[in-house]
mmCIF file of all heavy atoms in Angstrom:
data_model
loop_
_atom_site.group_PDB
_atom_site.id
_atom_site.type_symbol
_atom_site.label_atom_id
_atom_site.label_comp_id
_atom_site.label_asym_id
_atom_site.label_seq_id
_atom_site.Cartn_x
_atom_site.Cartn_y
_atom_site.Cartn_z
ATOM 1 N N VAL A 517 -0.145 38.307 4.564
ATOM 2 C CA VAL A 517 1.127 38.660 4.097
ATOM 3 C C VAL A 517 1.983 37.417 4.278
ATOM 4 O O VAL A 517 2.137 36.793 5.420
ATOM 5 C CB VAL A 517 1.734 39.830 5.087
ATOM 6 C CG1 VAL A 517 3.108 40.169 4.533
ATOM 7 C CG2 VAL A 517 0.782 41.009 4.919
ATOM 8 N N PHE A 518 2.718 36.935 3.245
ATOM 9 C CA PHE A 518 3.504 35.814 3.279
ATOM 10 C C PHE A 518 4.928 36.319 2.988
ATOM 11 O O PHE A 518 5.218 36.897 1.954
ATOM 12 C CB PHE A 518 3.097 34.799 2.157
ATOM 13 C CG PHE A 518 1.761 34.302 2.334
ATOM 14 C CD1 PHE A 518 0.661 34.901 1.660
ATOM 15 C CD2 PHE A 518 1.480 33.194 3.179
ATOM 16 C CE1 PHE A 518 -0.579 34.327 1.740
ATOM 17 C CE2 PHE A 518 0.243 32.820 3.296
ATOM 18 C CZ PHE A 518 -0.793 33.240 2.564
ATOM 19 N N PRO A 519 5.782 36.098 4.065
ATOM 20 C CA PRO A 519 7.232 36.504 3.884
ATOM 21 C C PRO A 519 7.824 35.702 2.734
ATOM 22 O O PRO A 519 7.666 34.441 2.641
ATOM 23 C CB PRO A 519 7.860 36.231 5.164
ATOM 24 C CG PRO A 519 7.015 35.232 5.827
ATOM 25 C CD PRO A 519 5.607 35.409 5.360
ATOM 26 N N VAL A 520 8.555 36.341 1.836
ATOM 27 C CA VAL A 520 9.160 35.673 0.703
ATOM 28 C C VAL A 520 10.679 35.845 0.737
ATOM 29 O O VAL A 520 11.107 37.035 0.858
ATOM 30 C CB VAL A 520 8.600 36.158 -0.688
ATOM 31 C CG1 VAL A 520 9.225 35.427 -1.780
ATOM 32 C CG2 VAL A 520 7.129 35.938 -0.695
ATOM 33 N N ASN A 521 11.351 34.795 0.846
ATOM 34 C CA ASN A 521 12.901 34.971 0.866
ATOM 35 C C ASN A 521 13.498 34.525 -0.509
ATOM 36 O O ASN A 521 12.835 33.731 -1.288
ATOM 37 C CB ASN A 521 13.417 33.988 1.909
ATOM 38 C CG ASN A 521 13.070 34.417 3.300
ATOM 39 O OD1 ASN A 521 12.956 35.689 3.604
ATOM 40 N ND2 ASN A 521 12.783 33.457 4.203
#
Side-chain angles (χ1 to χ4, degrees):
V517 180
F518 298 95
V520 178
N521 296 321

